[in-house]
């Protein structure tokens, strides 16, 4: 049986799920065409799970996945009828929807409201989190008790969304999980920072890094982030869990490791804050990114002892292997 692909112009109000049977409940990945959503879809399929993975503007990334357990479906989360159709029968929902920073305030909270408003007892919502809600870290490494003291618009929005999620879970009776990550990189992660790093390294161009090259950071490989999310979903746990990656690394060290693996010269330099601010006068995304530069100016380290002590089977991918796999993916995109 082939993958079912439902295009926008021909999506029924409901549709049969291939091979659905007791003991193999269906998972729904909202935003499966993005970096984390794609990797979660891969991880679920590798475990023999039934998956519906959705896209909005483009299904390009998901087109590489095939199999009888996978349904690829177009979804605009503002379409209540379509949202109800894909949520119907899904036991676990991974909310991996993402949009450009400039659209966060008009899309993200309302989308979460629509999803949580249709969940109830017996359902699980996995809501991948970031560190924006913390603001500048008040202690290192930060654990799950860290104050949510964001001063930025996007940080305050994330805190508002998480508060809504917690309240809805309590009132409607569904289970929620927030795996919290630092920045992630890897296959299909094509954002302006980490996507550009791998592209420029392969092209032997100077690689850019925001603000400071020699500040320690946690970074997580997107495949590891996906495994952590699925492990949490399949456990009986709930609440917030830090997943920090495979060790602290500085920007310069990370970039040089990529260039060494690519066989290109070690060339990198900083993009200063004033340059980002200037670019923001002409570019909406640069303007939105400017308020997040503190995350590169100061150390960003997460304490993941709670997660690691609970999931002994989890082992993060070493940087060398993760970088090799990521370079391979970016090379394939250029062919």
């Amino acid at each position: 049986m082939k993958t079912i692909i439902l295009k926008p112009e021909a999506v029924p109000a409901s549709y049969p799920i291939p091979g659905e049977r007791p003991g193999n409940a269906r998972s729904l990945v909202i935003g499966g065409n993005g970096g984390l959503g794609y990797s979660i879809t891969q991880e679920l399929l590798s475990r023999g799970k039934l998956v519906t993975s959705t896209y909005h503007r483009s299904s390009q990334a998901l087109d590489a996945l095939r199999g009888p357990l996978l349904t690829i479906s177009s979804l605009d989360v503002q379409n209540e009828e379509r949202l109800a159709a894909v949520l119907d029968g899904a036991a676990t929902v991974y909310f991996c929807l993402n949009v450009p920073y400039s659209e966060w305030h008009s899309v993200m909270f309302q989308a979460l409201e629509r999803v949580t408003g249709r969940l109830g007892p017996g359902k699980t919502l996995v809501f991948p989190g970031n560190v924006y809600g913390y603001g500048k870290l008040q202690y290192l490494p930060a654990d799950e008790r860290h104050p949510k003291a964001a001063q930025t618009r996007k940080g305050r929005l994330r805190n508002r969304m998480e508060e809504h999620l917690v309240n809805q879970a309590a009132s409607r009776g569904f289970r929620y999980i927030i795996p919290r990550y630092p920045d992630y990189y890897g296959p299909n992660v094509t954002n302006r920072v980490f996507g550009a790093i791998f592209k420029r390294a392969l092209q032997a161009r100077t690689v850019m890094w925001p603000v400071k090259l020699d500040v320690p950071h946690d970074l997580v490989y997107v495949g590891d982030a996906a495994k952590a999310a699925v492990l949490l979903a399949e456990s009986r746990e709930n609440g917030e869990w830090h997943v920090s990656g495979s060790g602290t690394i500085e920007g310069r060290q990370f970039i040089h490791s990529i260039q060494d693996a690519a066989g290109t010269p070690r060339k990198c330099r900083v993009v200063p804050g004033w340059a980002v601010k200037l670019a923001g006068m002409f570019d909406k995304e640069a303007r939105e990114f400017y308020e997040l530069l503190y995350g590169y100016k100061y150390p960003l380290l997460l304490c993941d002892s709670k997660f690691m002590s609970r999931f002994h089977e989890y082992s993060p991918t070493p940087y060398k292997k993760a970088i090799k796999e990521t370079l391979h993916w970016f090379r394939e995109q250029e062919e």
Side-chain angles (χ1 to χ4, degrees):
M1 187 183 297
K2 296 181 179 179
T3 302
I4 294 176
I5 302 177
L6 300 173
K7 297 296 184 181
E9 66 276 6
V11 178
S14 61
Y15 50 86
I17 302 301
E20 192 155 13
R21 60 188 183 279
N24 196 9
R26 182 167 61 93
S27 295
L28 171 65
V29 182
I30 297 175
N33 54 310
L36 183 57
Y38 176 85
S39 288
I40 287 176
T41 302
Q42 278 187 311
E43 179 67 20
L44 290 166
L45 292 173
S46 74
R47 293 168 176 256
K49 304 296 182 180
L50 287 166
V51 187
T52 296
S53 198
T54 76
Y55 67 94
H56 183 199
R57 295 183 175 93
S58 171
S59 64
Q60 182 177 353
L62 288 170
D63 290 343
L65 300 176
R66 289 289 181 269
L69 298 176
L70 174 64
T71 299
I72 299 173
S73 177
S74 169
L75 175 65
D76 180 347
V77 290
Q78 298 181 72
N79 185 320
E80 296 281 2
E81 184 179 358
R82 283 297 310 124
L83 181 61
V86 296
L87 284 171
D88 184 40
T92 303
V93 179
Y94 295 84
F95 188 94
C96 298
L97 176 72
N98 210 349
V99 296
Y101 281 148
S102 58
E103 298 177 24
W104 269 31
H105 281 78
S106 61
V107 173
M108 295 297 286
F109 188 86
Q110 293 84 348
L112 182 63
E113 278 188 314
R114 293 187 183 100
V115 172
T116 56
R118 293 185 176 275
L119 298 180
K123 306 293 184 179
T124 296
L125 179 61
V126 181
F127 186 68
N130 55 39
V131 295
Y132 297 172
Y134 290 159
K136 179 187 173 184
L137 296 184
Q138 299 179 18
Y139 59 86
L140 297 171
D143 59 18
E144 291 83 356
R145 297 168 296 179
H146 190 284
K148 294 181 179 176
Q151 300 299 309
T152 63
R153 292 174 67 246
K154 286 180 285 299
R156 289 194 292 264
L157 175 62
R158 290 295 303 196
N159 288 342
R160 182 177 165 225
M161 292 174 71
E162 290 184 11
E163 183 179 3
H164 171 79
L165 171 59
V166 172
N167 291 337
Q168 283 289 88
S171 63
R172 300 185 64 86
F174 62 85
R175 180 170 70 109
Y176 79 93
I177 299 164
I178 302 175
R180 195 176 305 286
Y181 309 110
D183 285 328
Y184 53 77
Y185 69 96
N188 202 40
V189 178
T190 57
N191 61 47
R192 289 190 175 195
V193 176
F194 292 93
I197 287 173
F198 285 90
K199 290 177 183 177
R200 293 177 76 94
L202 285 171
Q203 296 163 357
R205 299 169 64 190
T206 299
V207 172
M208 318 302 285
W209 184 265
V211 188
K212 288 187 178 182
L213 277 164
D214 301 312
V215 173
H217 291 269
D218 280 332
L219 300 174
V220 64
Y221 184 49
V222 71
D224 294 338
K227 289 176 185 175
V230 174
L231 282 171
L232 283 163
E234 295 187 350
S235 72
R236 295 182 180 274
E237 305 293 351
N238 63 4
E240 301 179 34
W241 299 75
H242 282 184
V243 182
S244 69
S246 48
T248 302
I249 194 167
E250 295 179 356
R252 190 189 310 273
Q253 180 185 1
F254 181 64
I255 291 168
H256 285 174
S257 297
I258 295 167
Q259 291 167 327
D260 290 348
T264 54
R266 287 185 166 190
K267 298 188 296 182
C268 61
R269 68 180 178 87
V270 158
V271 179
W274 64 261
V276 178
K277 187 174 185 178
L278 180 62
M281 297 175 64
F282 311 97
D283 184 294
K284 292 186 296 184
E285 290 305 295
R287 185 163 59 248
E288 293 289 343
F289 183 59
Y290 178 74
E291 72 170 11
L292 301 174
L293 291 182
Y294 69 88
Y296 297 90
K297 185 177 181 180
Y298 303 104
L300 198 164
L301 314 177
L302 295 181
C303 175
D304 63 358
S305 59
K306 174 184 172 183
F307 180 84
M308 295 299 290
S309 62
R310 170 63 177 82
F311 297 98
H312 300 290
E313 66 271 42
Y314 174 84
S315 179
T317 307
Y319 278 110
K320 185 175 181 179
K321 184 175 187 292
I323 286 170
K324 181 180 178 181
E325 291 176 357
T326 306
L327 285 169
H328 176 72
W329 185 88
F330 276 95
R331 282 194 184 101
E332 285 188 329
Q333 308 315 300
E334 294 180 354
E335 294 175 356

